[in-house]
């Protein structure tokens, strides 16, 4: 097995792709900038899910596996995202994302063979869902018919990582079968919605999301670490807030919202992607970034500022969606984007602070 690669240079592409994805999202709510290509609103979802999250998760998996061939997956995802930014053919970028997800699936399968466990199996299933979504997009399916599979990719990845970090906790015998049942319910709902739209698939998906949020809130390590101080409390607060948003996304689906363009679509997607997924990012970044790069990220209470802004701006956006106040939705979207860039700037500042602290006096 080769020495663990730390391709820090790949991370330099993240701010560029993230900023482009955010601008595309703002264009979807009417804030179109002259410099943006006309296709920017269409590429917001693929760029964020595959160009940013897919690339980062693939990079994390490559570092964990310590096989240089696994770096092809994040490299392919980053290059495909760059192709979208440069105005290249969307189908070529979609093919690149499909190759990246196939590479992540291969790396995840190898990890599962090396370390058979519930969480490694879930990581492989999550990669498979990303591949399914990318192949469907490559086949010409509209984004709103594909996004549910992309959601599953991020959802199962996060659930698997929390299982790994909480695996030493004692859980009752029914906890694992209950989680497996909720995951099967999610899959049945997605299959019903994809293959036979007349069947009530999305309510099943919504029920599974609410159930998974309750399961995580009950059995995750965050319930204990939130009583500690410093970084453990901050991480736990981020996670528990994210579980609330996961439940909200499920409740919206149970309430009849559909994955079709419109305010309900915006509410369902962003309560999960912004409220749940980015809460996980905010919470885990001070731990994952050192693992990927070797950079030290010292804890500071200032980390709570972007976390509070994230949830406050999402509340404003959700209120705009549900009450038909488009200006609230616009303002919430803009604040979402500003908050993410603020967090990115804060992480860069903390990395610099960590490097300064290492220097000898």
């Amino acid at each position: 097995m080769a020495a663990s690669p730390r391709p820090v240079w790949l991370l330099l592409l993240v701010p560029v792709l993230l900023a482009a994805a955010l601008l595309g999202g703002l264009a979807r709510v009417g804030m179109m900038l002259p410099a943006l290509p006309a296709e920017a609103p269409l590429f917001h979802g693929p760029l964020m899910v595959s160009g940013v999250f897919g690339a980062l998760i693939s990079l994390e998996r490559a570092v964990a596996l310590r096989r240089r061939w696994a770096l092809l997956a994040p490299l392919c995802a980053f290059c495909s995202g760059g192709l979208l930014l440069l105005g290249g053919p969307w189908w070529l970028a979609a093919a690149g994302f499909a190759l990246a997800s196939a590479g992540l699936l291969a790396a995840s399968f190898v990890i599962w063979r090396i370390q058979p466990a519930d969480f490694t199996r879930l990581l492989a299933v999550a990669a498979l869902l990303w591949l399914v979504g990318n192949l469907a997009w490559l086949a010409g399916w509209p984004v709103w018919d594909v996004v549910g599979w992309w959601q599953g990719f991020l959802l199962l990845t996060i659930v698997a990582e929390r299982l790994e970090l909480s695996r030493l906790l004692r859980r009752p015998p029914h906890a694992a079968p209950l989680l497996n049942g909720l995951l099967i319910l999610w899959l049945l709902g997605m299959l019903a919605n994809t293959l036979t739209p007349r069947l009530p698939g999305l309510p099943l998906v919504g029920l599974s999301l609410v159930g998974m949020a309750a399961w995580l809130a009950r059995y995750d390590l965050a319930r204990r670490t939130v009583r500690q101080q410093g970084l453990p409390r901050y991480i736990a607060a981020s996670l528990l807030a994210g579980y609330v948003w996961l439940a909200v996304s499920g409740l919206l689906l149970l309430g009849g919202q559909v994955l079709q363009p419109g305010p309900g679509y915006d509410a369902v997607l962003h309560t999960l992607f912004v409220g749940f997924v980015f809460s996980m990012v905010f919470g885990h970044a001070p731990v994952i970034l050192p693992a990927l790069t070797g950079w030290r990220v010292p804890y500071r209470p200032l980390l709570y500022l972007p976390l509070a802004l994230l949830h406050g701006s999402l509340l404003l956006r959700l209120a705009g969606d549900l009450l038909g106040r488009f200006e609230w939705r616009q303002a919430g979207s803009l604040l979402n984007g500003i908050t993410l860039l603020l967090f990115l700037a804060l992480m860069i500042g903390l990395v610099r602070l960590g490097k300064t602290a290492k220097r000898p006096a």
Side-chain angles (χ1 to χ4, degrees):
M1 186 175 291
S4 176
R6 291 187 186 274
V8 176
W9 58 273
L10 280 175
L11 290 175
L12 300 178
L13 298 172
V14 173
V16 177
L17 294 179
L18 178 61
L22 293 176
L23 291 175
L26 292 177
R28 291 183 65 87
V29 292
M31 299 182 184
M32 191 73 182
L33 300 179
L36 287 178
E39 300 86 357
L42 299 177
F43 296 151
H44 166 63
L47 198 55
M48 185 66 80
V49 173
S50 296
V52 177
F53 285 117
L56 286 174
I57 292 170
S58 300
L59 181 60
E60 180 189 5
R61 208 69 47 84
V63 172
L65 183 59
R66 297 190 295 170
R67 303 281 177 85
R68 294 194 180 278
W69 60 263
L71 289 174
L72 293 175
L75 181 61
C76 198
F78 279 128
C79 290
S80 299
L83 184 64
L84 284 181
L85 291 184
L86 296 175
W90 74 268
W91 58 266
L92 188 57
F97 287 143
L99 287 175
S101 52
L104 177 62
L105 178 59
S108 302
F109 181 76
V110 172
I111 291 175
W112 176 58
R113 291 292 301 272
I114 295 172
Q115 186 182 5
D118 288 344
F119 69 89
T120 54
R121 184 177 66 250
L122 264 185
L123 288 174
V125 174
L128 177 61
L129 295 181
W130 186 30
L131 178 60
V132 169
N134 287 335
L135 289 176
W137 190 46
L138 178 60
W141 290 27
V143 169
W144 54 83
D145 283 339
V146 174
V147 71
W149 298 101
W150 288 338
Q151 281 184 322
F153 160 53
L154 297 178
L155 173 64
L156 266 64
T157 298
I158 291 169
V159 171
E161 290 181 348
R162 294 313 304 167
L163 282 178
E164 178 186 8
L165 294 172
S166 305
R167 64 187 182 276
L168 297 180
L169 287 179
R170 287 188 176 182
R171 300 190 183 98
H174 66 268
L178 176 59
L179 179 60
N180 290 332
L182 291 169
L183 294 173
I184 291 172
L185 183 65
W186 180 91
L187 181 59
L188 291 175
M190 280 302 303
L191 287 173
N193 184 68
T194 301
L195 302 177
T196 53
R198 294 182 181 180
L199 294 178
L202 289 181
L204 294 180
V205 173
L207 182 61
S208 68
L209 294 183
V210 173
M212 277 187 268
W215 193 97
L216 289 167
R218 173 64 181 84
Y219 297 116
D220 189 67
L221 186 62
R223 285 190 65 202
R224 298 186 180 184
T225 54
V226 75
R227 302 169 189 168
Q228 300 178 11
Q229 300 296 323
L231 182 60
R233 171 176 280 187
Y234 164 76
I235 294 174
S238 302
L239 300 181
L240 294 173
Y243 301 155
V244 172
W245 284 115
L246 179 61
V248 171
S249 184
L251 290 172
L252 289 170
L253 288 175
L254 282 172
Q257 301 296 343
V258 296
L259 294 182
Q260 295 288 337
Y265 176 77
D266 184 83
V268 170
L269 259 60
H270 291 91
T271 48
L272 193 145
F273 281 125
V274 177
F276 174 62
V277 174
F278 272 106
S279 283
M280 304 298 112
V281 172
F282 280 24
H284 288 119
V287 177
I288 292 178
L289 192 57
L292 288 177
T293 64
W295 299 336
R296 179 173 172 264
V297 181
Y299 166 76
R300 292 294 184 272
L302 189 60
L303 284 167
Y304 281 101
L305 175 60
L307 182 64
L309 289 174
L310 180 78
H311 299 300
S313 59
L314 184 55
L315 277 172
L316 178 61
R317 181 175 189 157
L318 180 62
D321 285 329
L322 298 183
L323 299 178
R325 299 296 297 269
F326 185 72
E327 68 278 13
W328 292 5
R329 178 182 171 190
Q330 272 192 329
S333 303
L334 180 60
L335 288 174
N336 284 164
I338 292 172
T339 300
L340 298 182
L341 295 178
L342 173 64
F343 180 77
L344 182 62
L346 180 57
M347 293 304 297
I348 293 172
L350 289 176
V351 167
R352 290 177 61 88
L353 183 63
K355 290 183 176 181
T356 302
K358 281 186 176 181
R359 295 173 184 169

